[in-house]
Each structure stands twice: as structure tokens, then as C-alpha cells.
Amino acid sequence: IIAHKFTLVNHYFVAIFTNKIQPSWDGVQFVNSFFYQVSKLRDKLSYSERKLIDYIANNAKEVISMPIAVLSSKTNVSSATIVSTAKKLGFSGYSELKLSLAAEQSNPLLLQSGDTTFFNSEEQSSNALQLVARANAAALNLMEQHMDYDEIQTVAKVITKSKRIFLFGEGTSDILAMEAYDFLSRLGICCIHQSDWQSKLVLIEQVTKEDVGIFFTQSGVNTNILDLADRFSSKNGFTIGISNFQKTAVSQKVDILLAPFPEPTTIHDNNYTFRIPILCILECLYYAIATQSIEYYKSILVKNYHLRKFWTLFG
């Protein structure tokens, strides 16, 4: 029996590589855990595959941001074997395996429980600071690998040519829609946003073919957002989706989708780690739009600066 201890917000998980381990800890269930999958399937893996997963288990923090070519070099295991091993463990590929590791290293984001005992002490919170930061860094690393800036520039051109921009989000994704409103309005772009459902429906009745709708859904499967995208398209408006994952339902509902990760994962989409890539997409859009007509947008930024200075002094 080979045992490894791993820290998760100052709690230790002992992943014993036998089929006796259960997917729970004090009654808390885990979803798509690398360590649990290994505990179930290790005996069914080949020598090379076991060698690979042992290395990952002992170097989880480093593997989170490690390109597949580097892992292949360090383990003397081919990239194809790494991908096939990840799939045997229930992941869509190496990227999803790393996302699972990042979540397990950060905080109890994979826990399906209301248990708050993880955050009851100062020491646990201190550990969480480092671990969450690493998870965010891993998400950004994956974004850099898979996001194409040319797509962002294409969306920037569509936005600059539109008459109005309608921004839609639901739940935590509506926070991202509000962030987009802030980014775009600073550039003098006519943006419209409402959080109330009935108000969103009223807005869509005003859509023309010169308008663009941007639909935010972290998971890519929010039914209300999918419905709004359908309604917007029926008015001949141009639709843009911004999500975490490329191969989800929203990709079929919009004209252009901006999404950093190639495959959906089972990691909970309310994880703050998965808002950061979308915020980065918004900031990239901001700069891409500004470079479309530098002198015009520079004048807008100068006006915004003087307005903020005025209200600071006299507001």
C-alpha cells in the first residue's frame, strides 16, 4: 500500500491506492477528484501509467502549471500516454486533470456540502491564501495556452461597429456582465444592462440588427441565458457568448464564443478561480477596442479622467 498526504486548507487527505478508500471524508462527497480516481483505478494501470500518476501525486503543486511536454520529459512518459492516462481517470484530457489538481489544492471547491468547519480558524485561512492564489495562477496558465487573441480582436471589431451593446448575465455571471458594463462604458460605448428578468425581456424587444448582445455564463449551460440568446437572435441581433468552456450549449446559441478552456469540467462554476479568466478576457477586449481607433478612444479616456477628477472635487 502506497500512501500520500495532501493538504487541503490545513486538512489532510490520505489517498491510499487500494480499492477500499471511499469518496468521502467525514460525510463530505468529492466530485472528479484526481486522488480518489487514482485510488480506484491504480491497479488497472500499466507500469508507465502508475509511474506517471505517482509523480503527479508527489508533485501536485508543480504539475498544476506544468506544460505536458515538461511533464513528459520529467517522467519519461510520452504525451500520448499522459493524455490517455488522464482519460482513464475520468478526465477529458491533461488540462482537466490539472484543473482538478488546482481545485483540490485551493479550497473545498469540490465539496458538495454546507460544512463550514474548514474556515473556522485563522491558521486555515492563512493556508487558504496561498492555495487559492496557486489555483488562480493555474487557471490563468491554462487560459494563456488555449485562448486566441485574434478571436478577442474580432469581437472588438464587432463591438466598435455596433449601435448598442446589450449585456446579459444570471446569478454570479451577472456580476461579470456589470464588470463588462464598466469596461465598455469607460470607452464611450453605449451599453445597456439590467439584472431584473422582466427588464431583460423588455430590452430584447427593442433589439435591432445593428445591436450586439453579450451573454455571460460561467458554466455555459445556464438555461435563462440560452433562452435570452435565442430571443436576441430572433430579433436579428448579433450574439457573443463569454464563458469558461468552449464545448457547451451556449456555443450553439451565439455567433461568436470567447472561452478559454477547451473542455467542460465538473469543477463547480461558482469557483472564483473561474471568474478570473473571464475578467481577463474583458480587460483584453478593453485594450483591443481602444487600439481600433487610438485617437478617438484616447480622447474618451481623457474626458473620463477629467469627469472623475471633477466629481472627486465637487461631487
Side-chain angles (χ1 to χ4, degrees):
I1 298 176
I2 304 174
H4 297 283
K5 287 187 177 181
F6 303 96
T7 306
L8 177 58
V9 195
N10 206 37
H11 285 271
Y12 290 93
F13 293 90
V14 180
I16 303 174
F17 297 139
T18 71
N19 290 325
K20 295 179 181 180
I21 193 168
Q22 297 299 318
S24 63
W25 180 76
D26 287 352
V28 180
Q29 299 297 314
F30 299 90
V31 179
N32 207 31
S33 161
F34 166 80
F35 299 109
Y36 172 61
Q37 293 292 71
V38 167
S39 74
K40 288 196 307 178
L41 303 173
R42 189 174 190 278
D43 290 342
K44 299 178 181 179
L45 301 178
S46 68
Y47 170 78
S48 295
E49 291 168 337
R50 289 198 300 272
K51 176 182 175 183
L52 172 66
I53 58 101
D54 285 348
Y55 179 88
I56 294 174
N58 284 311
N59 301 275
K61 292 178 182 178
E62 291 76 17
V63 172
I64 286 171
S65 58
M66 189 179 292
I68 193 169
V70 175
L71 180 59
S72 174
S73 175
K74 287 182 176 293
T75 58
N76 291 319
V77 172
S78 70
S79 297
T81 298
I82 294 173
V83 173
S84 65
T85 303
K87 290 181 177 180
K88 283 186 180 181
L89 294 176
F91 301 102
S92 61
Y94 179 54
S95 294
E96 186 179 358
L97 185 153
K98 291 201 293 183
L99 288 171
S100 176
L101 287 176
E104 292 185 67
Q105 290 289 320
S106 60
N107 56 42
L109 298 170
L110 298 180
L111 305 184
Q112 303 300 298
S113 168
D115 192 341
T116 59
T117 58
F118 292 98
F119 303 99
N120 284 344
S121 74
E122 283 184 29
E123 186 177 0
Q124 290 167 346
S125 298
S126 176
N127 288 339
L129 175 62
Q130 290 182 332
L131 297 170
V132 169
R134 292 186 187 121
N136 288 325
L140 290 175
N141 179 268
L142 288 174
M143 176 188 176
E144 186 179 9
Q145 293 178 37
H146 297 292
M147 195 75 221
D148 188 347
Y149 188 63
D150 288 342
E151 295 176 356
I152 292 176
Q153 290 179 311
T154 298
V155 169
K157 290 178 182 178
V158 171
I159 290 174
T160 54
K161 293 178 181 178
S162 66
K163 181 180 179 181
R164 297 175 295 182
I165 304 296
F166 291 79
L167 302 163
F168 299 98
E170 284 284 295
T172 55
S173 293
D174 198 43
I175 298 171
L176 297 169
M178 288 187 278
E179 289 286 348
Y181 180 89
D182 181 63
F183 270 110
L184 297 175
S185 61
R186 286 171 185 266
L187 291 170
I189 293 172
C190 179
C191 298
I192 303 172
H193 170 265
Q194 289 285 351
S195 293
D196 176 71
W197 175 254
Q198 293 299 326
S199 298
K200 291 173 183 175
L201 296 179
V202 171
L203 286 179
I204 287 181
E205 291 304 312
Q206 305 170 30
V207 170
T208 70
K209 63 180 180 180
E210 296 177 302
D211 297 324
V212 170
I214 304 181
F215 300 85
F216 293 84
T217 166
Q218 294 177 80
S219 64
V221 296
N222 183 283
T223 54
N224 285 344
I225 291 299
L226 298 179
D227 179 43
L228 290 171
D230 269 336
R231 292 170 184 263
F232 201 96
S233 294
S234 71
K235 298 291 184 178
N236 296 316
F238 192 89
T239 54
I240 298 168
I242 299 184
S243 181
N244 281 315
F245 312 116
Q246 296 168 11
K247 298 178 181 178
T248 56
V250 71
S251 66
Q252 305 298 317
K253 299 290 185 178
V254 296
D255 296 304
I256 298 178
L257 176 67
L258 294 179
F261 305 127
E263 298 285 349
T265 79
T266 55
I267 296 175
H268 201 285
D269 57 289
N270 282 338
N271 178 356
Y272 186 67
T273 299
F274 292 99
R275 294 185 213 171
I276 287 182
I278 294 178
L279 290 171
C280 286
I281 288 173
L282 290 178
E283 188 166 353
C284 288
L285 270 175
Y286 177 85
Y287 292 119
I289 292 169
T291 57
Q292 299 289 322
S293 179
I294 294 176
E295 290 304 316
Y296 170 73
Y297 290 112
K298 183 178 179 181
S299 68
I300 294 291
L301 292 174
V302 170
K303 289 178 183 177
N304 286 340
Y305 170 77
H306 289 299
L307 279 173
R308 288 197 299 273
K309 187 174 181 180
F310 174 83
W311 286 113
T312 300
L313 294 173
F314 305 106

